[in-house]
Amino acid sequence: MTVPAEPSAKILIGRESIVAGAANALRSTGTGVVFLLGDSGFGKSVTSRMVAKVLQPDMSVVTVHATASLARVPFGVLAAFLTDLPIEEANSPVSILRTLWTHLEQVHHLRSRPLLLVVDDADHLDEGSARVIGELATAGWAKVLITAHPQPGPPHDLARLWYEGIAERFELPPLSRDQVNQMCQGVLGGPVAASSSDILWRTSQGNPMLVQVLLDESRESGSLVSQHGVWLFAGSPPRGAGLRDTLRRRFLRLSEAEREALQLVALAEPVSREAVLAISGTAAVEALVEHQLIRLTGDAEQVLRLWTPLFGEAIRTMVSVPRSLVLRAQLLTELAEEPVAAEAALRRVSWALDCGLAVPDRLLIRTATEASQRFDNALARRAAAQIIGKEHQQRAQAIIARTHYNCGDYAAAEALLGPVFAMGSTVEDLRVGSLLWGSIRLALAHPTASLFADADRLRLAGKRVAAAHPEESAQILQEIEDVSTLLELMALSAQGDFSALGDKLLALKEQVTPAQLRTPETEVFILVVRAEWLCARGLPLQARILLERADGLFSGKSEQVYFFAEIISLRLVFCLLEAGDWKGVDAALESFVVDSGLGLIPFGGGFYVAKCFLLLRQQRPAQALALVLPGVEVLRNNDPQQLFQLAAAMAFFAAAALGQMDTARDFLGDFEAAKQGGSMLTRWYAEAFVAAGKEHCSHDGVGLGQLHELAERLSAEATKAVELHALFLCLSLNDRSRLSRFCAVAAGCEGPWAAALLAYGQALDGGGAADFIRAAETLRAIGLTPLAAECFGTAARLSRRDGDTPKTGWAQTGLKACMTELGYPEGWSPNVANSQRILTRREQIITSLALEGLTDRQIAEKLHSSVRTVEGHLYRSYAKLGISGRSELGFVAGLQSY
């Protein structure tokens, strides 16, 4: 693969302000030199060309390129300009400067325009060239634009110009997460799933050149694919093998000791600094750090790592097996024991496998389990396949099944784990894949009765194992009972029997079990399910406490091949969503993205669902639809928590609310074709969105009827959170027939979201101007700005009717602030001044009824007209008033007295 030295200008993102700043500095009279500093691949050369292009109309641009081969040649980079220099004056700085200037003046006609000298890769300038260029700048004969690495930086004769005050410096930072996504879209020519571009951002550390290399490698390997127009990872992300040629050139320029140290770090990272120093010497290590090939990390125990993990795969492929064995033997003599850190242990075992060495089953099991939990599927399968002992084969199969689950191949995971479930001869065999097996059942939409049957099978197997080990029978029976109970909790959640789920959780809470007989994983899982139950009952604040306790209890290590960390993180996000803690949601999602690593490939879909859910709660369907489109494709490819139906339902609802009927029909088809798996709580939310979306599409009352029926079912199940969600969707469709129930449910729920909805419901239920103002302020505080604007508008209308001037002013001020937040230009106002004149009498009647909260169908019944006729009058009214829809009628009411 050919690796570009720099990313092309058309995909260079995030450098525009630097280009403008550098160009302005070079135009100014007080600045003679501008430094562009950045690491390799950060786009220094491209940025300098962009600056030169901006200045070319006013300056004569001359570019010189310093190289490592010319670094030891006196005045090597300037040789092309010194052909007229007499040999006897070759050592005279004055003669060299005069000859250089004469050549430039003649060739570039400098009398008419000033000179801009661009010096690329100034790190490689020889001392003489650096001194001459510095003199050009100091004398004011030329403006100089210099690119260099921050370390070691340009030569002293140029660096001193910054200290003397005639130079400015601009450092090119790494690309941000959003900028990497923009770059990927520019290269690929279409939207890119953020969960996939986040992996590229993390792996490349924001280096534009490395992003380009990874994109090329991903497309060539087929791991990055376009699915329904969205680019996403369908396989393992690249490891940087495409950097091999570039690194080989750098590798050959190193000394023998430096090459040895670099190979040691690449093969064993993270590796003890002291061990590498003992083998290769201090000078070699310090040189590699200076050349930004390795870095020192850690506080108490200092360890060496490659500058970027991407270097590892490329460097390791350059080390032969005999050489690798020699380096391994040298290193092991300096290391007293096996590494404690999981990352170092994984690398040590992987290195041994690369060398063809035998590895004990104990280390292979540890490596394979850890690798599967880190989503390093290739290493997990490789290590599991090397496990020899017959007593460990069931664990090996469970680990490989987990890797298939990671890849979204749930049928392959079932084929591996199904035949050995509940068939082991030890308690570890029975436990190891039990929770994963339950998740496979849910992913494949198996009936919940099969999970209850599985729990009974486990209990029978536990009795068999306990009988074979009577001295440990009590602990064996307790552990297997716990695991069986966890499968039953899964089943109850999946079938939506929250009453029975609550009883089961209460029994577990009251059960007195010695601490040594219950595993931490069991406690964590019970806490997670109890948090889900509390959330469903409308108690997300209490649920949050349990999830935070679960997070603290989970150490990050587990013998179970289950995704505890991911399930805790995403459940916490949805708990915060239910509470209405939007800042907490953003913080939790950011933490999830940072901590997930390669887990973003299978679990990244949850990120989209959470963000879309948040945007829809804030009544921002356009933003929600744009965000959820790639999320649907991610989940179509890999859906470990069965969120595809909810994503498709939200996409359908958003598209229907925006009037994009073709798009809505496509997503409705996706929803209806999806398997009915996973938590019933998720499916209820999806059902509510679909019912509301259908009402947006047809306006025939069928969707509203489905929402009413769902709310009644949820009331019977005591799942107030989803019932409140369904009733709020009814209100958003201008159906107030369940208003009293809406207020009662909101009053029984926790959190800012429920409190805001309660204030809104109480205002609608015969409230005055003060009630609507209070509701508006509460709604605005949780980001429900459109609804807040509607309440401020209603408050303004009511207070004006009552002659309450202070409240009218207060409401109008709040309305104006909401309009600003919603993106309306300053001074915008609907066409209300002539509303009485421009609306027909019929249109005035219909808009008045709409302002009272009547649905289109209710207005049609009241006026003995058809729904389509009412819709037509409303659309014409919106156009005349200069508003986009029914939600802005409140603006009109509030602005009448402006």
Side-chain angles (χ1 to χ4, degrees), residues 376-622:
D376 189 345
N377 301 317
L379 177 57
R381 291 172 185 171
R382 187 181 179 198
Q386 298 293 319
I387 296 172
I388 297 173
K390 291 184 179 180
E391 69 275 18
H392 302 310
Q393 292 308 304
Q394 186 160 340
R395 172 173 282 277
Q397 278 190 255
I399 292 168
I400 298 173
R402 165 66 193 266
T403 67
H404 287 298
Y405 196 92
N406 289 346
C407 296
D409 192 348
Y410 308 124
E414 178 192 28
L416 275 171
L417 202 52
V420 299
F421 177 77
M423 299 297 291
S425 58
T426 68
V427 69
E428 290 77 13
D429 288 342
L430 297 180
R431 290 179 59 250
V432 66
S434 56
L435 292 179
L436 178 63
W437 176 247
S439 294
I440 292 170
R441 289 277 205 198
L442 295 179
L444 294 173
H446 289 176
T448 54
S450 62
L451 280 171
F452 288 113
D454 289 337
D456 291 337
R457 287 172 58 197
L458 263 184
R459 289 187 177 98
L460 288 174
K463 291 177 181 178
R464 170 172 50 81
V465 173
H469 302 84
E471 70 283 359
E472 301 174 357
S473 61
Q475 182 164 345
I476 291 172
L477 291 173
Q478 180 61 58
E479 288 192 23
I480 298 306
E481 176 60 30
D482 285 344
V483 176
S484 302
T485 301
L486 300 188
L487 287 177
E488 291 173 340
L489 294 178
M490 274 189 180
L492 291 170
S493 170
Q495 71 183 25
D497 191 347
F498 282 86
S499 177
L501 182 62
D503 293 341
K504 195 84 171 175
L505 289 167
L506 181 61
L508 285 170
K509 188 176 181 180
E510 293 176 347
Q511 180 179 331
V512 179
T513 303
Q516 67 272 21
L517 296 183
R518 178 164 285 173
T519 65
E521 291 98 329
T522 299
E523 293 288 355
V524 166
F525 196 86
I526 290 172
L527 287 170
V528 169
V529 176
R530 183 168 176 80
E532 178 188 2
W533 177 72
L534 286 170
C535 232
R537 296 182 62 204
L539 303 172
L541 300 182
Q542 296 180 44
R544 176 180 182 174
I545 294 171
L546 295 185
L547 289 169
E548 289 173 345
R549 190 192 307 169
D551 188 46
L553 185 61
F554 180 63
S555 64
K557 296 181 181 180
S558 171
E559 293 183 358
Q560 280 268 16
V561 286
Y562 192 66
F563 31 89
F564 285 103
E566 290 74 22
I567 199 170
I568 292 171
S569 296
L570 289 175
R571 289 290 173 87
L572 177 60
V573 168
F574 282 97
C575 172
L576 294 168
L577 277 170
E578 197 55 63
D581 183 357
W582 311 142
K583 289 183 179 179
V585 170
D586 288 338
L589 286 175
E590 178 66 21
S591 176
F592 171 71
V593 169
V594 169
D595 295 339
S596 290
L598 296 178
L600 280 176
I601 294 178
F603 284 92
F607 171 87
Y608 291 99
V609 170
K611 291 292 285 187
C612 181
F613 198 96
L614 187 155
L615 290 168
L616 289 179
R617 288 228 151 161
Q618 294 179 334
Q619 295 189 321
R620 296 158 66 187

Side-chain angles (χ1 to χ4, degrees), residues 311-333:
F311 290 169
E313 187 73 14
I315 295 172
R316 288 191 286 271
T317 60
M318 294 189 284
V319 184
S320 66
V321 172
R323 175 62 176 161
S324 186
L325 284 167
V326 170
L327 292 172
R328 182 179 177 84
Q330 287 179 309
L331 184 63
L332 291 181
T333 61

Side-chain angles (χ1 to χ4, degrees), residues 174 483 496 507 527 669 750 755 787 799 824:
V483 176
L527 287 170
E750 293 179 337
L787 202 56
S799 60
Y824 289 94

Side-chain angles (χ1 to χ4, degrees), residues 51 96 127 195 211 270 329 351 375 381 530 541 626 674 692 727 808:
V51 174
I96 292 170
E127 290 184 6
S195 55
V211 174
W351 186 7
F375 304 92
R381 291 172 185 171
R530 183 168 176 80
L541 300 182
L727 293 173
T808 301

